[in-house]
Amino acid sequence: MSVLPRDNNITLYDSLLNNINDLTFLSTINVFNGTINTSQINLDSVRMDAAIINSVPTLLLNGVPAVATSSFTSSIAQWSAFPALTPITYATGVGTGGAINMANVNALSNVSSGTGTFGTLSTVGATSLNGFLYPNTGVAIASMAQSIVVGGNGLLGTFNFTGQAAGLYMVTVLLQSGGADPMTCSAVVRFSGGTALAGSLHMPSINGQQPSVVNCVSIQSDVAADANVQVYVFTQIAGLIGGSAQLAAYRIT
């Protein structure tokens, strides 16, 4: 069967060619108000056929599911479920884009640097950062924070570790002077078996003065098998007397 000269289309109206097994057309086939029934379509070596997958009719491209009857089976949402095969560059280097907003990060194996605004960090699955112990919390233990007003004869504050988990704690003392140089110091307390152990004496240099016993902070446990740590703050500098010393404790292990 051939196309008449100067014609470039052939139109099939009924089942005229039902008994012909193989036809090759070099022009367009138009089927008006009819149906083409076939098991596979080959477009430049790309095979298209269909299959029922999980009771859903699905279009296959070279045997790979591409489109289902209700939605695309190959979608961005599905791509995100697969691991990256190469590094992902986003908003740096040759990449472009805006901020990355993540509500949850399950695993970070190697982060070289991080800048930006971060929200609450619930847990860190490690015991140290770059070999240094880090506080388990970013704020002082609320039940142990206190403020004492320093008098000319000094003042004693007490940390009671009863009810806290065993481990190392950092106790800090801050007494702001009238100038720009505050009195600050810290000590490490080991709490285990109901006993808090600490021993530290500080003689800070304040407002350019030489360190001396006229300004000192002692952080120690002076009773055996006791959960208390005493913090003694003493100064003879008028600018510090009457000031409010802020005492805080951080758990570091």
Side-chain angles (χ1 to χ4, degrees):
M1 180 175 184
S2 61
V3 180
L4 296 177
R6 294 183 298 277
D7 285 346
N8 57 9
N9 295 291
I10 182 169
T11 301
L12 308 180
Y13 288 93
D14 297 307
S15 56
L16 178 63
L17 304 178
N18 279 346
N19 297 321
I20 300 177
N21 295 324
D22 190 4
L23 287 177
T24 299
F25 293 100
L26 301 179
S27 57
T28 301
I29 299 176
N30 297 313
V31 180
F32 295 109
N33 300 320
T35 301
I36 297 178
N37 296 312
T38 182
S39 60
Q40 187 181 94
I41 297 175
N42 192 318
L43 299 176
D44 293 332
S45 299
V46 177
R47 302 187 315 276
M48 292 191 303
D49 50 10
I52 303 298
I53 299 179
N54 296 327
S55 302
V56 178
T58 304
L59 177 65
L60 308 179
L61 291 180
N62 286 339
V64 178
V67 180
T69 55
S70 58
S71 64
F72 285 99
T73 59
S74 178
S75 63
I76 293 178
Q78 286 192 322
W79 301 342
S80 65
F82 292 91
L85 301 180
T86 58
I88 298 176
T89 301
Y90 187 85
T92 59
V94 297
T96 59
I100 300 177
N101 299 312
M102 293 177 289
N104 182 34
V105 178
N106 292 323
L108 292 174
S109 60
N110 184 14
V111 179
S112 60
S113 63
T115 59
T117 301
F118 298 90
T120 301
L121 182 64
S122 58
T123 58
V124 177
T127 57
S128 65
L129 297 175
N130 293 330
F132 296 96
L133 294 175
Y134 65 91
N136 281 357
T137 59
V139 296
I141 301 173
S143 61
M144 302 180 73
Q146 55 184 292
S147 177
I148 59 176
V149 178
V150 179
N153 296 322
L155 196 67
L156 185 68
T158 301
F159 281 103
N160 188 338
F161 285 86
T162 301
Q164 300 298 328
L168 292 179
Y169 292 79
M170 180 175 63
V171 172
T172 62
V173 178
L174 168 63
L175 178 58
Q176 183 70 50
S177 69
D181 186 12
M183 174 193 288
T184 59
C185 58
S186 63
V188 174
V189 176
R190 181 170 66 87
F191 180 65
S192 177
T195 300
L197 300 174
S200 179
L201 177 65
H202 303 265
M203 290 182 291
S205 172
I206 302 177
N207 294 334
Q209 298 187 18
Q210 292 297 323
S212 68
V213 294
V214 300
N215 303 293
C216 67
V217 178
S218 174
I219 303 174
Q220 62 183 8
S221 53
D222 53 8
V223 179
D226 188 67
N228 294 324
V229 169
Q230 288 73 38
V231 180
Y232 178 77
V233 181
F234 176 78
T235 182
Q236 290 185 353
I237 295 181
L240 295 179
I241 296 175
S244 179
Q246 305 299 319
L247 279 57
Y250 299 79
R251 185 183 175 191
I252 58 177
T253 64

